[in-house]
Structure formats: structure tokens, C-alpha cells
Amino acid sequence: MKSYIVKLKSKLGRLPEFEDYKELMDENQLDSKLEYINKLYPKKLNADSIDDMELELKKMLFDEIQSITYFLSGKDKEFFLRYISKLEIEALQNIIQAILNHSLDRNINNLEKDPFSKKFNIDVDMNYNDFVSTLKNTRYHRTLVPFSRENMPEDSMIFLITNSLMKFYFRDLFDYIGKFPTNVKDELDDYLGKEVDLYNIEMIYRLKKYFKLNDYEIFNYLIEGGSYIRTDKLKELIGMSVDEFIEYIKSTKYRSIFSGEHSFGISMIIEKYKWMKKLQRSENPILFMIYGINKIYYSMETLISTLEIDDSFTQKEKEEYIIVR
């Protein structure tokens, strides 16, 4: 067994149990919840507010990733760094959103403290072009620089930039897995393809339901390379009405998204977690690594979610937020 898998399994063994999340969901006092989470990781956490707890959990996630990376080398390490770069991209998106929404002055402190934004230089007086110019030596510059010439509403620009960064993220991953032996490459291609399928399902549903776009415009927001929903099928789906689209997805392996049991947002999170969890028994160490780091990520996201739950939520609504099952 590879050393990084041994390390990762050790970390997974120290995650909170289901009963811990349940206990936090049933507790309505914020101070008691914060105290409970602090006690789960007494050597790493000492937060007294939601914002502080979110930041400390992010730092803990960052440290866990660094710890695993130390044991990696060669192609395994390069792939892992590319895969977890989605957390860095998320930090990048938050910075850009604050700049375009003219809220950087209110958010710069938290943005600078985010461990996943360490590579980015932020100044309170920056506009979008100023920020992009600081990224010339990064892998993101080429994706972001075309928007320097755009003149459109802030919300539309944020949406387009987010979409472009996700396209870049997946293209980069699909390009890199070609370096692995065929059997490993095929397994990675299949799993990443499922992530793309889910991304496209969410994008088509939201674009059709909330925006007035033609088929060509919708297709430009999508990512090719899905495991189940290939290019020809994508072109077919964007020509459907919302109801027809939902009925088609109900006939696929992703049917539970529209089962009606949960809200669409919660259903998407559960579906992503379900497919990720299937990697738990994979004999491919890279796939198990994907499972492990996502398990840690979802665990910390669930802890944060519990802090926002109070007695205004029904028991069913509370249980929806327990992502880690």
C-alpha cells in the first residue's frame, strides 16, 4: 500500500462520526455548537464565531492537503495538485466576485486569510484589470484576461468567469490523465466524466429555468467529456423544455436528482457525494485519494452547515444538511 494511502486512511479514521453531526443538528444554541466542534479537534480549533470556525476549518483542510502532498511524487502528485486546485479556483472566484460587486473593502480581511488564496495578491483599491495583471505568471491568466475587455453587468460577468474557470479546470485534468497507463487513465476518465455530467445537468437546469438563452448560448456554457452524457446527447438535451429535460434525467443513473425528496441544490450535493463515495473500495490509489480528500472536504462543509441550523428548521430539513453519511 502506498504511503500516502496509509496517511490518508489515518486521517479518515479521525473524522467525526455520523452521531456527531446529528448531535450538532439537534443543538440550537450556536455557542454550544462551536464548543462541540472545537472539542472534536482540540489541538487545531478554538473558534468563537461562525466566521472564525469556517476559516479555521479551511486552514485545517489546507494543512491536511499539504500533509498528504508531502508523501506524493511524480504523476500522482501532479494530478493531485491539479485535482485539488478547485479549492484555489473557488478562492479566486470569491476574490473576483468581491471586486466586481464592489465589496472588496468589506471582504478583503477574510479573503486574505483564506489559505487557498495565498498565491493571489489583493489590494483594496483593485479593479478587475488590476487584479488580472497580477496573475500573469499563473495558470489562470489566459482564462481571465479576455474578460478585461468585456462590458457587461457584474452578475453576468461573474457567471461567465466562473464557468470559464471550471472549463479550464476540467480540460486541464482530462489533458493530464493521458500521462497515466491506459487502465488508470480510463478509470480516471470515467470518474471525472461523472463530475462533468453533474456539472452539465446543474447548468442546463438552471439556465433553462432562470435565464432566457437560445440553444447555442446554453451549449457554450457546457463542458464536453461527460461519462454518460456525451456531446450529441448534450445537444439533444438543450433543445428540450425544462419538464422534458427533467423526465429524461429521471430515466438515467442520475435519476435521484429529480426524485422530489430534496430541494434541487441539496439533491445535487447528495448526488455528487454518492458517486464520490463509490470510490471508497477502489483498488486504484489515485481514485481512493480522490475519495479521501473529498470525504474530508465534505466533513468540514457539513460541520459548517450545522452552525447555520436552528429551531426554525424541521427535522427533515436538518437531516438534509448532513452530507456525510
Side-chain angles (χ1 to χ4, degrees):
M1 185 180 296
K2 294 196 175 187
S3 57
Y4 64 78
I5 297 299
V6 175
K7 184 75 173 177
L8 185 54
K9 285 187 173 183
S10 173
K11 292 180 182 298
L12 293 174
R14 295 195 294 271
L15 292 178
E17 301 288 343
F18 177 81
E19 288 306 316
D20 292 313
Y21 303 115
K22 186 74 166 56
E23 185 82 19
L24 286 162
M25 288 296 177
D26 292 337
E27 174 59 62
N28 292 318
Q29 298 301 314
L30 177 60
D31 288 346
S32 298
K33 292 186 183 204
L34 290 168
E35 183 181 2
Y36 192 103
I37 298 174
N38 283 329
K39 286 180 178 178
L40 289 173
Y41 299 102
K43 294 182 180 180
K44 297 182 179 181
L45 300 178
N46 186 29
D48 58 8
S49 70
I50 293 178
D51 286 346
D52 284 349
M53 181 61 77
E54 186 170 359
L55 179 60
E56 289 193 18
L57 285 170
K58 263 188 182 176
K59 287 180 177 177
M60 200 167 91
L61 175 61
F62 182 84
D63 290 342
E64 298 285 50
I65 289 171
Q66 294 296 104
S67 173
I68 294 166
T69 305
Y70 176 81
F71 289 89
L72 292 167
S73 61
K75 292 193 290 289
D76 290 5
K77 181 175 182 177
E78 287 300 318
F79 173 80
F80 181 69
L81 291 173
R82 280 170 164 78
Y83 184 79
I84 55 93
S85 70
K86 60 185 173 182
L87 298 171
E88 185 175 79
I89 289 173
E90 182 181 304
L92 179 58
Q93 290 168 344
N94 290 337
I95 294 168
I96 291 172
Q97 183 170 336
I99 290 172
L100 294 177
N101 283 340
H102 310 290
S103 61
L104 190 56
D105 57 337
R106 299 194 303 274
N107 293 295
I108 192 167
N109 189 44
N110 285 337
L111 292 171
E112 288 182 326
K113 287 180 179 178
D114 185 339
F116 294 100
S117 69
K118 283 185 174 182
K119 293 181 181 178
F120 308 127
N121 297 314
I122 320 169
D123 186 274
V124 71
D125 296 319
M126 278 181 166
N127 60 29
Y128 179 79
N129 290 350
D130 295 333
F131 178 62
V132 171
S133 69
T134 69
L135 302 174
K136 283 183 179 178
N137 296 321
T138 73
R139 60 206 290 261
Y140 306 115
H141 185 258
R142 184 178 295 181
T143 299
L144 297 175
V145 76
F147 295 97
S148 299
R149 298 185 290 273
E150 293 289 347
N151 182 19
M152 64 177 74
E154 286 84 358
D155 287 349
S156 298
M157 193 160 166
I158 290 167
F159 186 81
L160 283 170
I161 289 170
T162 298
N163 178 254
S164 293
L165 285 168
M166 291 312 298
K167 283 186 173 183
F168 161 76
Y169 170 74
F170 280 110
R171 278 198 306 266
D172 184 55
L173 284 174
F174 281 121
D175 285 346
Y176 192 80
I177 62 175
K179 298 178 183 292
F180 288 103
T182 302
N183 62 322
V184 177
K185 185 259 184 190
D186 288 347
E187 288 183 298
L188 288 170
D189 186 78
D190 182 64
Y191 176 73
L192 293 174
K194 290 184 175 69
E195 288 198 2
V196 169
D197 282 344
L198 293 172
Y199 177 88
N200 285 332
I201 289 171
E202 184 170 12
M203 189 63 69
I204 293 172
Y205 177 75
R206 293 191 186 282
L207 289 175
K208 282 191 164 290
K209 193 170 180 66
Y210 302 112
F211 297 87
K212 292 184 177 180
L213 300 173
N214 62 44
D215 292 355
Y216 176 78
E217 289 172 318
I218 293 175
F219 187 79
N220 283 338
Y221 285 110
L222 307 180
I223 300 172
E224 297 181 71
S227 173
Y228 182 76
I229 305 174
R230 298 289 188 175
T231 302
D232 288 347
K233 180 56 70 175
L234 284 177
K235 291 178 179 178
E236 183 182 333
L237 292 176
I238 60 178
M240 296 179 180
S241 67
V242 175
D243 289 341
E244 289 171 337
F245 171 72
I246 290 172
E247 286 306 308
Y248 172 77
I249 298 302
K250 283 182 176 179
S251 71
T252 72
K253 61 176 73 177
Y254 306 118
R255 63 180 64 86
S256 60
I257 294 172
F258 293 110
S259 66
E261 186 177 352
H262 307 286
S263 66
F264 178 71
I266 295 294
S267 292
M268 285 302 305
I269 293 171
I270 292 172
E271 190 72 11
K272 291 171 186 177
Y273 185 80
K274 178 183 79 176
W275 289 103
M276 177 277 296
K277 194 175 180 182
K278 289 180 181 292
L279 304 180
Q280 184 176 5
R281 293 182 175 82
S282 175
E283 295 181 3
N284 181 332
I286 302 174
L287 287 174
F288 184 84
M289 183 167 60
I290 290 175
Y291 159 76
I293 203 63
N294 275 298
K295 176 84 172 179
I296 295 170
Y297 169 81
Y298 279 117
S299 172
M300 295 184 183
E301 286 291 296
T302 302
L303 289 175
I304 292 169
S305 294
T306 65
L307 298 176
E308 299 165 356
I309 303 298
D310 56 30
D311 56 6
S312 67
F313 288 72
T314 66
Q315 189 62 32
K316 183 177 184 298
E317 288 171 334
K318 288 180 179 181
E319 291 174 356
E320 281 189 335
Y321 281 81
I322 305 182
I323 304 165
V324 183
R325 299 175 186 271

